Amino acid sequence: VLPLSIGPAQFSIAFTKEGDELRSRSLYPCGFMPLRGSMGDAATGTRTIAAAPGLRLTMNNAAAHNAGRIAALLATSPTPYTAVNARHGWFSGLAFAVADTTQPRVFAFVASDDARYGFVGHGYGIFDLSSGGGSVIRQSESNDGSADMIILTYGSPRTGEWLTEVFADWETHGAPHAHDYHVTALPADAPVPATDGEFIVGIPHWQLVFRAGTT
């Protein structure tokens, strides 16, 4: 049983060893503070950066050099979009989508104390700096799933369009929660056949093959 970071999220996964593979028995969201200081390397450690007055970004050490560019982007006027029906369980679907993408996107938790950044409060930011754009998913004040999410898109609409596709695909597959997923961990050099409905996340020494549900 271990906490494992997948994209911007962490999951507690219980594995059973079967031959050279590890197969999950359960998978649930969890939250452990990532390693910091000398033990928190560029790949897994995080830091919180005062990127501009009234703006804080919590992000991976390896991406921290992008904080200034993200702050400049958030200082522009955003275009709001309502993500209808993307409610309970959406963060796990987004986490898997971010982990599975081949695009160089930067993820950051965003805290704003100034309305000049388009909102006051907290949100999940995904930025495609190569296209000069990004989006912040606003956390609802209500945790009961009764409110639609608001996505604020800054600069290029590319990230906002991608998020729309992610949520539509997630909903098409039944809007699975984190605990609906199963994962098989295979050695990094093991052959993995391409199968529809699965996706692979590579970590040092392992390939993680995810599938939602039993189909």
Side-chain angles (χ1 to χ4, degrees):
V1 180
L2 76 162
L4 192 63
S5 294
I6 304 296
Q10 290 183 334
F11 301 94
S12 175
I13 305 179
F15 283 108
T16 298
K17 189 173 187 297
E18 298 182 11
D20 292 333
E21 301 179 357
L22 300 175
R23 294 184 178 273
S24 67
R25 298 291 299 273
S26 63
L27 188 155
Y28 290 92
C30 70
F32 288 85
M33 181 176 287
L35 292 175
R36 300 188 181 205
S38 61
M39 293 292 290
D41 61 18
T44 59
T46 64
R47 68 180 71 176
T48 298
I49 302 168
L55 181 68
R56 298 177 303 283
L57 304 174
T58 300
M59 56 199 307
N60 186 279
N61 286 336
H65 66 279
N66 293 303
R69 295 175 64 189
I70 292 174
L73 188 62
L74 293 176
T76 65
S77 297
T79 300
Y81 166 76
T82 301
V84 180
N85 296 326
R87 297 173 182 172
H88 285 310
W90 68 269
F91 189 67
S92 60
L94 178 60
F96 293 146
V98 171
D100 190 37
T101 184
T102 58
Q103 300 300 316
R105 297 186 177 93
V106 175
F107 179 87
F109 292 97
V110 182
S112 167
D113 299 327
D114 195 321
R116 81 176 93 171
Y117 303 116
F119 68 98
V120 173
H122 298 81
Y124 301 98
I126 298 177
F127 304 94
D128 183 351
L129 299 176
S130 63
S131 69
S135 294
V136 173
I137 303 172
R138 288 284 289 118
Q139 295 175 255
S140 171
E141 299 299 328
S142 171
N143 291 321
D144 62 3
S146 61
D148 293 325
M149 292 190 316
I150 302 299
I151 298 174
L152 302 174
T153 297
Y154 300 78
S156 166
R158 181 172 171 179
T159 303
E161 293 168 353
W162 173 75
L163 280 171
T164 301
E165 295 174 0
V166 167
F167 287 128
D169 183 64
W170 176 66
E171 187 175 1
T172 297
H173 287 84
H177 290 227
H179 56 256
D180 295 322
Y181 285 86
H182 301 274
V183 56
T184 300
L186 302 169
D189 58 356
V192 179
T195 304
D196 184 49
E198 294 182 342
F199 64 89
I200 301 171
V201 176
I203 62 174
H205 313 300
W206 293 91
Q207 303 172 84
L208 305 176
V209 183
F210 287 87
R211 171 174 288 276
T214 58
T215 60

